[in-house]
Amino acid sequence: MEEIITIDTEFIRLDALLKLAGAFDTGGQAKLSIQNGEVLVNGETCTMRGKKMREGDTAQFAGVTYRVAVR
């Protein structure tokens, strides 16, 4: 399953993207999952919660892919 997450800025931080997408209720939950290596960015494990996600980048968590699109 893939969801398109549209932002109004050049980039969004990975933890903020996952929270915006509804994958987590809080930024703290997102931070822990990222630090535990449970999130893939563009197909590779990423443990940097502040990773800048730009248009076309994807984040995967719990079987869902979130693709960044800029308005």
Side-chain angles (χ1 to χ4, degrees), residues 5 13-15 17 19-20 22 27 29 37 43 51 54-56:
I5 306 302
R13 286 179 19 170
L14 176 58
D15 57 350
L17 171 72
K19 185 171 180 253
L20 176 66
Q29 291 171 335
K51 167 82 173 150
R54 300 178 190 279
E55 186 164 30

Side-chain angles (χ1 to χ4, degrees), residues 25-58:
D25 292 331
T26 69
Q29 291 171 335
K31 174 185 169 183
L32 285 175
S33 287
I34 294 165
Q35 288 177 335
N36 289 337
E38 299 169 10
V39 177
L40 300 180
V41 171
N42 298 326
E44 298 184 14
T45 302
C46 179
T47 57
M48 299 182 305
R49 70 178 182 157
K51 167 82 173 150
K52 291 180 180 177
M53 303 292 289
R54 300 178 190 279
E55 186 164 30
D57 284 342
T58 61

